[in-house]
């Protein structure tokens, strides 16, 4: 009887332990399922909240970019308006200054057109000076030609003296061989010829220097004549609106030609 009760108690204890084990496994499974559900729910809530925050931030960023874009467009419009306004003002100021300069030029041209008599006097004086310079230039050219001819004659004379000097030297050498008495006379003649040659050379250099100076003076006068001619032409062109000035310019051009 005791053995039966002991086996029965042992069987009950095993069943109780098995029931407890099954209950703990079931509770653990239920706890795990509940935990997984809660975890998934928490993750879903977090993701939804984060998505909401990101969408809100994205909208705010887009709003900020749109605001900045609108501000930049509006500032560009204002800057272009200011630039156009400033450009119109600058053009207006330039037109005023140019109109003032044009009026001054017109007044000067009117004053010049009224002073036809003065232009005639200036034109006549320039023509007179031009004629005088032309004559002086012609005279200088003639003097240069004469100096060149004289220089050519001197060079011919120098060459003749050189030939004579060479002949005398040859004669002196021959005479020196023949006699010593003739050598002193020939030496004196040679010395005289050398002095004459030196004098002629000096005179030739002097004439060449004078010719060069005359040529420089002629070139300077030619340049002055050219400037005066250009001045006359400019005066004629500035006074081309008057009939009398046209006649004076025609006379000036005829004299210059």
């Amino acid at each position: 009887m005791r053995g039966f009760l002991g086996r029965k108690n042992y069987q009950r204890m095993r069943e109780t332990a098995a029931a407890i084990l099954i209950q703990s496994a079931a509770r653990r499974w239920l706890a795990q399922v509940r935990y997984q559900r809660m975890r998934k729910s928490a993750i879903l809530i977090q993701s939804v909240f984060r998505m909401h925050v990101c969408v809100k931030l994205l909208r705010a960023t887009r709003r900020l970019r749109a605001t900045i874009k609108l501000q930049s467009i509006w500032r560009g419009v204002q800057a272009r308006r200011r630039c156009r306004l400033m450009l119109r003002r600058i053009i207006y100021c330039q037109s005023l200054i140019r109109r003032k300069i044009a009026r001054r030029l017109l007044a000067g041209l009117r004053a010049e057109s009224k002073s036809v008599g003065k232009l005639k006097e200036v034109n006549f004086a320039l023509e007179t000076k031009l004629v005088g310079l032309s004559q002086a230039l012609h005279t200088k050219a003639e003097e240069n030609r004469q100096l060149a001819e004289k220089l050519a004659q001197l060079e011919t004379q120098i060459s003749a003296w050189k030939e004579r000097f060479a002949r005398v030297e040859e004669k002196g050498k021959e005479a020196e061989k023949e006699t010593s008495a003739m050598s002193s006379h020939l030496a004196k003649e040679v010395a005289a010829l050398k002095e004459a040659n030196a004098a002629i050379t000096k005179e030739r250099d002097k004439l060449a220097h004078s010719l060069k100076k005359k040529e420089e003076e002629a070139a300077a006068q030619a340049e002055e004549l050219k400037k005066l001619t250009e001045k006359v032409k400019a005066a004629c062109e500035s006074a081309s609106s008057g009939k009398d000035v046209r006649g004076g310019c025609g006379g000036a051009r005829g004299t210059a030609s």
Side-chain angles (χ1 to χ4, degrees), residues 38-184:
M38 289 176 66
R39 185 171 179 273
K40 288 180 181 179
S41 299
I43 292 171
L44 180 62
I45 292 169
Q46 288 178 353
S47 64
V48 170
F49 180 75
R50 288 171 183 170
M51 182 182 67
H52 176 70
V53 171
C54 290
V55 169
K56 193 174 181 180
L57 183 61
L58 179 63
R59 288 176 181 173
T61 305
R62 287 179 177 176
R63 243 185 254 111
L64 180 62
R65 288 181 180 176
T67 305
I68 293 171
K69 184 69 175 178
L70 289 173
Q71 287 177 352
S72 64
I73 292 171
W74 175 245
R75 287 170 184 169
V77 170
Q78 288 182 340
R80 283 190 289 274
R81 285 180 182 175
R82 287 195 299 269
C83 182
R84 284 195 291 269
L85 180 62
M86 189 179 296
L87 185 62
R88 284 198 294 270
R89 290 175 180 175
I90 290 170
I91 292 171
Y92 181 69
C93 292
Q94 288 178 349
S95 63
L96 290 177
I97 293 170
R98 288 170 181 167
R99 183 176 64 184
K100 189 174 181 180
I101 293 171
R103 285 180 178 176
R104 286 182 181 177
L105 290 174
L106 181 61
L109 290 174
R110 285 178 179 174
E112 287 180 359
S113 63
K114 290 178 182 178
S115 61
V116 177
K118 187 175 180 180
L119 286 173
K120 281 184 178 181
E121 293 177 359
V122 172
N123 190 15
F124 180 73
L126 288 173
E127 287 178 3
T128 307
K129 193 169 183 180
L130 185 63
V131 171
L133 285 173
S134 299
Q135 292 177 356
L137 184 62
H138 182 69
T139 305
K140 292 292 183 182
E142 187 65 25
E143 290 179 358
N144 289 336
R145 186 181 61 80
Q146 292 176 2
L147 286 172
E149 290 178 356
K150 192 172 182 181
L151 184 62
Q153 291 177 1
L154 286 172
E155 287 179 352
T156 306
Q157 189 176 0
I158 287 170
S159 62
W161 279 102
K162 284 182 179 179
E163 291 177 358
R164 187 176 175 185
F165 179 70
R167 289 197 299 269
V168 169
E169 280 185 347
E170 290 177 359
K171 288 180 181 180
K173 288 178 180 179
E174 292 175 359
E176 188 177 358
K177 291 178 181 179
E178 293 176 358
T179 177
S180 60
M182 294 290 291
S183 62
S184 60

Side-chain angles (χ1 to χ4, degrees), residues 7 16 129 134 137 193 198 212 215 219 221:
R7 286 192 294 272
T16 303
K129 193 169 183 180
S134 299
L137 184 62
L193 286 172
K212 186 177 179 181
E215 287 177 354
Q221 288 182 357

